[in-house]
Amino acid sequence: MCPVKALIASRRNRKPFVTNILSSGPTPKRFAPLGPLRGTIRVPGDKSISHRSLMFGALAVGETKVSGLLEGHDVIATADALRAMGATIDRTGEGEWSIHGVGVGGLLQPKQALDMGNSGTSTRLLMGLIASHGITASFVGDASLSARPMGRVIEPLSQMGASFTSSPGGTLPLMMTGSLPAVPITYRLPVASAQVKSAVLLAGLNTPGITTVIEPVPTRDHSERMLKGFGAELTVVEVDEERHISIHGDAELSPQTITVPGDPSSAAFFIVAALITEGSDLLIENVGLNATRAGLITVLQQMGGDIELVNQREVGGEPVADLRVKHSRLTGIEVDPAIAPSMIDEFPVLFVAASLAKGRTTTSGLDELRVKESDRLAAMAAALKASGAIVEELEDGLIIEGSDGTPLRGTKDEAIITHLDHRIAMSMAVAGLASKSGVEVDDTRPIATSFPTFEELLRKASS
């Protein structure tokens, strides 16, 4: 059985996520130079859009069809949870899924705890959905997810009437009871977070009246685009340079046919790998280029990266293009903190690019990276230092002195500690391609949460 089919079969049998990924013990691996990256590849579907396709399809009445769905552990966790609350979700082919929804307000009480595995997106957005339903649900997750704070979602959803019993520090395991009817609120985001914004908007779907989120700094807007596509009454207006996003409750969603574009966060690893590997000329097809997600390309181009957007088009309301990336001599820059929300998940691999650039790269305003799957600032600072890079860790960013293209030393007798964080593992795998002796990561299993074909595509691009 292929890995994806095995994963889906195991999840349908409701085996704990920890068993699926972590029971076999760590799988360390050394990533060494493979030569130029050439040819054409296509990365898996966008994770953010995949999650939302399943969720919105589960709230529509009728059949939603999705192609190009990312079939990683995180998205499968979302599918499992929605099945547990009454939606019918079936895989009909490679990346092809059918969702028969229950309608807004139609979610059922799950009979057992919802196992979110490693997926913070699944957890926070599903908490939003449940907040305006009269049901109780328990959320559990793996060790990494259980250490991540949920207070930023709990606060606004509590204002809407939901009640929570969490572990100390506002973490999982967590039990919540939704409110029916919930109370519409106007909520100003204290930090830029698409997940918190989306959770409040999803709660507003089944809440009488108008629920509004005020966003001082723009974040990825897939929820807004897709909710409109499904028929929700949603408006976005600019007031004093802030976005006011309002959703009308008691919504009725209509089923859709969705084509998921390639995930720019997954493409990021191959973009950087091609830029820092001499002789590379790689075409990455069908990459989503939503303006709220494309910050990495802007920054890498500012650093001198040769990235050409080919065949620009729109698919399902989302801008898409093919990216032709060639090896480039990068130059360090001071990254504008205002761009951080549009590339927050891509900073770990940007740090790798900066370590090979000429001169200094300075980043700031990255407090959000402290509360991801790991403390990504501390984890990447330690990992790059162990590989021979010169890095200074700040409270809200890193300062990296680049090697001007000289390969990193690599690791010797020690493995990079990834903290079960898929993006740390893949970023340091990319660093290994531009090292003298290779970089060993302590565990590659978490990569399957977002990019199960990562190593396969790496071999294809370098063969």
Side-chain angles (χ1 to χ4, degrees):
M1 183 180 292
C2 76
V4 166
K5 290 181 179 178
L7 164 63
I8 293 166
S10 68
R11 296 293 290 167
R12 280 181 172 167
N13 291 332
R14 300 301 301 164
K15 294 180 181 179
F17 182 91
V18 172
T19 298
N20 293 335
I21 292 184
L22 303 180
S23 64
S24 60
T27 56
K29 181 169 182 174
R30 179 169 291 274
F31 291 87
L34 296 172
L37 278 66
R38 297 181 178 275
T40 301
I41 63 169
R42 182 173 289 226
V43 298
D46 185 283
K47 185 165 71 164
S48 296
I49 295 175
S50 294
H51 281 303
R52 288 161 175 79
S53 297
L54 293 172
M55 291 183 191
F56 300 161
L59 294 180
V61 177
E63 182 185 16
T64 291
K65 296 182 178 180
V66 184
S67 60
L69 190 90
L70 170 64
E71 294 175 332
H73 287 269
D74 284 5
V75 175
I76 301 303
T78 292
D80 278 350
L82 293 168
R83 286 193 190 101
M85 292 186 285
T88 300
I89 302 177
D90 295 300
R91 184 178 189 263
T92 58
E94 189 73 27
E96 307 284 331
W97 291 70
S98 170
I99 305 107
H100 288 268
V102 297
V104 173
L107 295 179
L108 304 177
Q109 173 115 5
K111 295 180 180 179
Q112 56 190 350
L114 302 177
D115 180 4
M116 298 291 95
N118 189 248
S119 181
T121 301
S122 303
T123 306
R124 295 183 179 105
L125 268 60
L126 288 170
M127 286 167 64
L129 281 183
I130 292 170
S132 55
H133 286 72
I135 61 178
T136 296
S138 297
F139 290 86
V140 298
D142 68 7
S144 172
L145 180 60
S146 297
R148 278 177 257 166
M150 297 295 155
R152 62 179 59 181
V153 177
I154 291 173
E155 179 183 353
L157 298 182
S158 295
Q159 293 179 24
M160 299 182 75
S163 60
F164 297 84
T165 303
S166 66
S167 298
T171 59
L172 272 55
L174 173 153
M175 179 176 288
M176 69 173 293
T177 300
S179 177
L180 189 66
V183 179
I185 62 172
T186 295
Y187 187 72
R188 180 186 299 274
L189 294 177
V191 295
S193 173
Q195 291 182 3
V196 177
K197 171 180 67 176
S198 297
V200 176
L201 293 176
L202 294 183
L205 279 173
N206 197 43
T207 299
I210 299 174
T211 297
T212 300
V213 177
I214 300 173
E215 190 175 49
V217 179
T219 64
R220 59 186 64 178
D221 64 353
H222 301 303
S223 291
E224 296 95 302
R225 289 172 180 258
M226 295 181 70
L227 283 168
K228 285 183 179 180
F230 273 85
E233 188 177 349
L234 183 145
T235 59
V236 181
V237 296
E238 296 280 342
V239 180
D240 296 329
E241 298 184 350
E242 295 181 329
R243 297 175 80 238
H244 289 231
I245 307 142
S246 298
I247 192 162
H248 292 247
D250 296 327
E252 294 185 7
L253 302 188
S254 301
Q256 302 294 308
T257 298
I258 299 171
T259 301
V260 181
D263 195 322
S265 295
S266 295
F269 300 105
F270 286 88
I271 294 171
V272 171
L275 289 174
I276 66 176
T277 304
E278 191 169 349
S280 293
D281 186 347
L282 183 67
L283 185 69
I284 309 171
E285 293 183 322
N286 193 47
V287 179
L289 292 180
N290 184 300
T292 62
R293 300 283 304 281
L296 178 69
I297 293 174
T298 299
V299 170
L300 289 172
Q301 289 174 332
Q302 291 171 353
M303 296 174 72
D306 187 348
I307 306 171
E308 180 185 0
L309 277 58
V310 181
N311 188 22
Q312 297 185 59
R313 57 202 185 273
E314 189 170 287
V315 177
E318 292 279 348
V320 173
D322 304 330
L323 306 180
R324 185 177 184 184
V325 188
K326 299 179 182 179
H327 171 249
S328 306
R329 186 180 183 188
L330 302 177
T331 301
I333 63 170
E334 182 173 348
V335 179
D336 184 353
I339 206 169
S342 68
M343 56 176 292
I344 196 67
D345 287 332
E346 288 74 70
F347 272 100
V349 78
L350 175 69
F351 296 149
V352 174
S355 70
L356 276 297
K358 178 183 179 180
R360 173 179 295 182
T361 296
T362 302
T363 60
S364 60
L366 305 182
D367 311 73
E368 178 76 4
L369 293 185
R370 297 282 188 194
V371 291
K372 289 289 188 176
E373 282 82 340
S374 67
D375 179 341
R376 287 178 175 167
L377 289 178
M380 285 303 298
L384 288 171
K385 287 178 183 178
S387 304
I390 301 174
V391 183
E392 178 184 355
E393 182 181 348
L394 307 176
E395 184 176 346
D396 65 343
L398 299 183
I399 297 175
I400 301 173
E401 299 288 348
S403 69
D404 196 11
T406 301
L408 299 176
R409 182 192 68 233
T411 56
K412 296 181 179 179
D413 300 326
E414 58 181 330
I416 296 299
I417 300 174
T418 60
H419 304 278
L420 298 177
D421 189 327
H422 55 130
R423 298 202 190 280
I424 303 298
M426 288 186 281
S427 295
M428 294 313 297
V430 170
L433 303 181
S435 67
K436 296 177 181 177
S437 59
V439 170
E440 183 165 346
V441 301
D442 66 346
D443 200 348
T444 60
R445 292 172 299 168
I447 292 174
T449 64
S450 66
F451 201 162
T453 59
F454 172 73
E455 292 185 52
E456 176 187 338
L457 283 182
L458 200 57
R459 288 191 294 270
K460 176 183 176 182
S462 58
S463 61

